[in-house]
């Protein structure tokens, strides 16, 4: 069980931590006790000094510009990542559609996609299978166009 004073000390530290994190000014004090031996006896003097911590300064113009530049870079990186995810999802959808087509040997087809353009690369047993694979790809939701680089295997 925690004693009441432990709780007060932790709570005080927590409040101070929040105040510092928010950039709020904190007041502090320093207590100094001095003891002197004099011919007439011992003299003890206690001095308390109060001081304020400064608030956090505003960002300088260069720091603000750097922060804006970093945010713009992060935004571009997120857009690129989103594009890659979209391209990957489209590639997976086309590959899945090809796997379900009975007259197409999907394992012999490499599928790539970029911005809705799907490229099929590989070989098939017949010209009909080549055309069927392209038709399946074109019929997949999200495909804008198909670049068919499939060839017929030589007998």
């Amino acid at each position: 069980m925690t004693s009441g004073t432990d709780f007060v000390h932790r709570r005080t530290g927590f409040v101070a931590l929040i105040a510092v994190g928010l950039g709020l000014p904190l007041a502090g004090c320093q207590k100094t006790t001095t003891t002197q031996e004099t011919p007439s006896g011992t003299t003890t003097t206690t001095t308390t000094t109060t001081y304020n911590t400064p608030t956090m300064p505003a960002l300088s113009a260069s720091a603000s510009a750097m922060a804006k530049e970093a945010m713009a870079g992060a935004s571009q990186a997120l857009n690129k990542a989103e594009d890659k995810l979209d391209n990957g999802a489209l590639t997976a959808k086309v590959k899945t559609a090809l796997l379900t087509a009975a007259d197409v040997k999907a394992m012999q087809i490499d599928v790539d996609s970029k911005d809705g353009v799907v490229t099929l690369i590989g070989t098939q047993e017949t010209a009909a299978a080549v055309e069927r694979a392209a038709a399946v790809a074109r019929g997949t939701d999200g495909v804008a166009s198909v670049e068919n680089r499939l060839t017929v295997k030589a007998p």
Side-chain angles (χ1 to χ4, degrees):
M1 181 163 228
T2 306
S3 72
T5 56
D6 286 345
F7 175 75
V8 170
H9 287 263
R10 280 187 297 193
R11 185 170 164 227
T12 304
F14 181 70
V15 171
L17 182 63
I18 290 173
V20 168
L22 294 174
L24 300 175
L26 291 177
C29 62
Q30 182 176 4
K31 188 175 185 180
T32 307
T33 303
T34 308
T35 304
Q36 284 185 323
E37 293 289 329
T38 62
S40 59
T42 303
T43 305
T44 303
T45 307
T46 302
T47 307
T48 303
T49 306
T50 304
Y51 59 92
N52 290 326
T53 58
T55 59
M56 293 176 57
L59 287 176
S60 68
S62 62
S64 179
M66 286 173 33
K68 286 179 184 177
E69 187 177 316
M71 288 176 61
S75 179
Q76 284 178 336
L78 284 173
N79 287 338
K80 286 180 182 179
E82 185 177 288
D83 290 346
K84 287 192 183 284
L85 286 173
D86 290 344
N87 291 332
L90 183 57
T91 297
K93 282 174 35 176
V94 171
K95 191 69 171 179
T96 301
L98 290 170
L99 286 167
T100 61
D103 50 345
V104 173
K105 294 197 177 187
M107 298 306 288
Q108 296 176 0
I109 301 173
D110 181 38
V111 180
D112 291 315
S113 63
K114 182 169 172 56
D115 301 327
V117 177
V118 173
T119 304
L120 304 176
I121 303 169
T123 59
Q124 290 294 291
E125 301 294 323
T126 65
V130 169
E131 289 305 315
R132 176 74 178 127
V136 168
R138 273 189 224 97
T140 304
D141 187 39
V143 174
S145 65
V146 175
E147 186 177 327
N148 189 352
R149 295 186 189 168
L150 294 173
T151 58
V152 177
K153 274 188 185 177

